[in-house]
Amino acid sequence: MVTLFASLSALTYGSADFYGGLASRKSSATAVVAWSQGVGLLTALLAAPLMGTSFVEASDIFWGIAAGLVGASGVGILYRGLATGLASVVSPMAALTGAVLPVFFGLITGERPNLLTWCGISLALPAIILLSAEKEEKKDHVLQSLKMGFLSGIGFSGFFILIAQSGDNSGLWSLVAARAATVPLFLIITLLRRHPLFLTRGSSIHAVLAGALDMAANIFYLLATRTGFLVTAVVITALYPAPTVFLQRMVLQEKLSKSRVYGLILAIAGAAMIGIGG
């Protein structure tokens, strides 16, 4: 079940990132995140009673709030990166960072990855090089995309680690707490930056889709962590760049060089090896 839930999480995360990137092309990234987080909160509130809850502790709410704040920052950076940078660099870099850091967290807390897991991690290094090597692109553009992806991945890894600390019997209430904390945060940030609070007509539907799909992905991920190992759930979920880049290519006609195709293949192969090894 962990593989099924994590795969569904990857699919919905990738689709959410695509629609969030589209919305950020026409509206402020912080406003897009604020509205998408609001939609996510509504989705979680509707789904939570259906999942059932045995017992919710204060610590579950704390982990949810902490995870929400860290994860939302990663989403905001990612949306900005997809809107201004190279999706084929930003998205895989965020996924690799978001997957590798929890592996090291598991190592520090007592988990011992096997040789196959470490082989998968080693594939991430040449993948990053291939994804950043592009002659026809300006070097600064590539480096900025790498930076945005890395910072976004740190936020994602924080979310993956923190939300998994909530109790198995707490249902989805940790996710409700996460969104309850981030919605007002991004509304305040949007107002402080004096960005338009309301979205344009062309981006509002994309922001709604991004919010609903992102929360669906969170739910699938949480179910994955509760039915299997954290490392396995994280790394299979980290395959989300595949649907993102695929949609970018099919809908927006974004060109992919051979080096980036090879880099994406290596990134996916590395993530898969980490998941299998875990």
Side-chain angles (χ1 to χ4, degrees):
M1 293 301 291
V2 61
T3 302
L4 174 61
F5 287 135
S7 298
L8 290 172
S9 181
L11 178 62
T12 45
Y13 267 134
S15 300
D17 291 346
F18 171 73
Y19 286 112
L22 284 183
S24 298
R25 290 172 180 264
K26 299 180 180 179
S27 298
S28 164
T30 53
V32 169
V33 175
W35 282 98
S36 64
Q37 297 278 298
V39 173
L41 174 59
L42 178 60
T43 303
L45 285 171
L46 292 174
L50 302 178
M51 300 297 294
T53 303
S54 299
F55 186 71
V56 181
E57 296 183 348
S59 60
D60 298 321
I61 303 301
F62 168 79
W63 289 121
I65 293 174
L69 294 175
V70 174
S73 64
V75 172
I77 296 172
L78 180 70
Y79 285 4
R80 184 60 180 172
L82 292 176
T84 62
L86 301 170
S88 53
V89 173
V90 175
S91 191
M93 182 62 176
L96 289 173
T97 305
V100 171
L101 291 182
V103 169
F104 286 103
F105 172 81
L107 182 63
I108 294 173
T109 55
E111 295 183 0
R112 292 295 179 264
N114 57 29
L115 179 60
L116 185 60
T117 299
W118 288 115
C119 289
I121 293 174
S122 68
L123 289 181
L125 299 178
I128 293 172
I129 296 174
L130 288 172
L131 288 167
S132 62
E134 188 60 56
K135 293 181 178 179
E136 63 264 24
E137 295 289 352
K138 294 182 179 180
K139 184 178 180 180
D140 290 344
H141 198 192
V142 174
L143 292 177
Q144 181 65 16
S145 297
L146 280 172
K147 177 182 176 182
M148 299 289 279
F150 177 73
L151 293 176
S152 176
I154 291 178
F156 292 155
S157 64
F159 174 83
F160 288 147
I161 293 170
L162 293 172
I163 200 67
Q165 307 309 308
S166 61
D168 293 346
N169 296 324
S170 61
L172 301 180
W173 293 106
S174 57
L175 291 177
V176 173
R179 286 297 179 267
T182 57
V183 170
L185 171 66
F186 276 98
L187 285 174
I188 293 173
I189 293 175
T190 302
L191 293 174
L192 290 177
R193 291 184 176 181
R194 297 183 179 180
H195 291 169
L197 183 59
F198 294 99
L199 305 177
T200 62
R201 181 177 300 179
S203 64
S204 57
I205 184 62
H206 293 149
V208 169
L209 288 172
L213 288 168
D214 182 67
M215 179 50 66
N218 290 334
I219 293 173
F220 287 132
Y221 169 74
L222 194 59
L223 293 175
T225 63
R226 292 174 178 176
T227 55
F229 293 112
L230 170 64
V231 172
T232 303
V234 165
V235 180
I236 295 178
T237 297
L239 294 174
Y240 73 84
T244 301
V245 173
F246 176 77
L247 289 171
Q248 291 278 359
R249 177 68 182 91
M250 297 301 295
V251 178
L252 302 180
Q253 301 299 310
E254 181 175 308
K255 295 181 180 180
L256 297 177
S257 67
K258 288 184 178 180
S259 63
R260 285 186 179 152
V261 172
Y262 295 149
L264 182 57
I265 292 174
L266 277 180
I268 294 175
M273 290 179 69
I274 296 172
I276 296 172

